[in-house]
Amino acid sequence: MEGQYGWGTFEDGWRKGPWTPQEDKLLTEHVKLHGEGRWNCVSRLTGLKRSGKSCRLRWVNYLRPDLKRGKITPHEETIILELHAKWRIRWSTIARSHPGRTDNEIKNYWRTHFKKGKMTKNIERARANFLKQQ
DNA sequence: AAGACAAGCAACCGCAGCGGA
DNA sequence: CTCCGCTGCGGTTGCTTGTCT
């Protein structure tokens, strides 16, 4: 298995950096077999040299079968704006209310599209709409 | 064609909360 | 009650890709 890890490095016995298709496969099979959770056991059970933290992140943000992937549509953007008006920076809560998208994805989208003063009017409008519905 | 810069995104880090021993 | 390990969350970093000059 040596030599196929790209630039990933080892630290304290754990591998870090980008995931390989082999690692993805191992993790996917593990979740299929044992379900989500018990992330700290994944390395022991599968032989993956990844921390539980890293495994959970990879699964939640990339491997989950119900993920939509692809670009965020204007409709989804509106939903995100409204949810943000409601929950502010509770990304995980927003993600749960918006199936198919991850908190990391929403957070990244927000930071690149809205944060730097861009589309402030839209954000305000969404917040006003939300408050009106209260 | 090539270098500089910006945007997008995957992944890591530190911390807090929770539950079991 | 306290300690410790595990999980989840929000913030941040840095690599990759696209665009501009």
Side-chain angles (χ1 to χ4, degrees):
Chain A
M1 283 285 267
E2 265 79 14
Q4 28 184 314
Y5 288 142
W7 62 269
T9 57
F10 276 92
E11 205 173 284
D12 296 334
W14 297 117
R15 213 180 93 69
K16 292 186 354 181
W19 281 64
T20 64
Q22 291 98 323
E23 289 176 307
D24 282 349
K25 192 156 167 281
L26 276 173
L27 181 57
T28 309
E29 308 241 316
H30 170 83
V31 176
K32 255 190 234 163
L33 247 58
H34 302 94
E36 293 183 42
R38 305 178 61 82
W39 298 111
N40 254 25
C41 304
V42 176
S43 65
R44 248 176 295 146
L45 294 171
T46 64
L48 262 180
K49 293 281 183 295
R50 292 282 185 174
S51 67
K53 240 178 170 180
S54 188
C55 292
R56 179 191 154 270
L57 197 73
R58 182 64 175 172
W59 173 258
V60 168
N61 287 323
Y62 202 84
L63 298 175
R64 256 173 37 196
D66 59 328
L67 282 184
K68 277 186 193 170
R69 317 293 308 160
K71 288 181 68 173
I72 287 179
T73 64
H75 178 239
E76 287 177 311
E77 185 181 293
T78 310
I79 294 172
I80 290 171
L81 281 169
E82 290 184 5
L83 289 173
H84 182 270
K86 187 175 176 182
W87 298 110
R88 309 305 291 256
I89 59 166
R90 308 298 310 278
W91 303 117
S92 56
T93 309
I94 293 173
R96 274 195 293 268
S97 308
H98 192 34
R101 298 293 180 186
T102 70
D103 59 327
N104 207 33
E105 202 175 3
I106 293 171
K107 182 168 60 182
N108 279 331
Y109 188 80
W110 182 268
R111 294 178 93 90
T112 53
H113 289 80
F114 304 127
K115 195 55 194 276
K116 311 162 191 169
K118 274 187 190 174
M119 297 190 61
T120 313
K121 279 184 184 169
N122 281 0
I123 297 169
E124 290 305 323
R125 199 176 304 143
R127 189 164 295 150
N129 279 342
F130 167 70
L131 291 172
K132 215 185 294 175
Q133 287 163 22
Q134 298 288 343

